Amino acid sequence: MEPKKTVLIVEDEQFLIDLYRKAFSQRGFTVLETIDGAEGLEKANANTLIDIILLDIMLPEMDGISVLRKLKESESPAKNIPIFMLTNLGQESVIKEALRIGADGYILKSKYLPNQIVDEVEKFLNDRKK
């Protein structure tokens, strides 16, 4: 049996975290979560067994772009963990910057149901294994 995958969700809207946690848990993922960027950075650097990070752009304490920059620094223990940015419409320039910094992809929150987000993450992780 394949080991459980672990996802870290950094999202400031608790109801979205709840929806995402349920969708990922139903597919066998271990879910770590936080509602602010600074804590997300701490959790990512403290747990190198994370398979992927879902990182909102608009966050309290430290925004998602700042968290992404810190995670991609050469001394970060989490620098090789793939990161998908969670975005809203109208953030195209921020998305381009995130991809330039090292994000592996992005998900437009308004266009995806929680199960579809899990589908995207599973597809990405499976493609990486090949």
Side-chain angles (χ1 to χ4, degrees), residues 50-120:
I50 294 170
D51 294 288
I52 193 163
I53 298 169
L54 298 183
L55 180 60
D56 192 9
I57 290 175
M58 304 297 289
L59 292 165
E61 301 304 319
M62 181 186 286
D63 67 75
I65 295 296
S66 300
V67 173
L68 176 67
R69 269 200 190 95
K70 292 243 181 253
L71 289 174
K72 292 301 177 183
E73 287 175 357
S74 59
E75 63 273 8
S76 169
K79 69 178 175 281
N80 295 319
I81 299 173
I83 299 172
F84 273 27
M85 304 305 291
L86 295 171
T87 70
N88 289 310
L89 289 172
Q91 294 181 313
E92 289 81 8
S93 62
V94 181
I95 292 165
K96 282 186 183 133
E97 183 182 2
L99 293 171
R100 186 184 57 72
I101 294 166
D104 295 272
Y106 65 92
I107 291 173
L108 219 51
K109 291 191 274 189
S110 61
K111 298 270 190 211
Y112 288 83
L113 295 168
N115 284 337
Q116 292 171 311
I117 292 176
V118 180
D119 292 342
E120 290 294 312

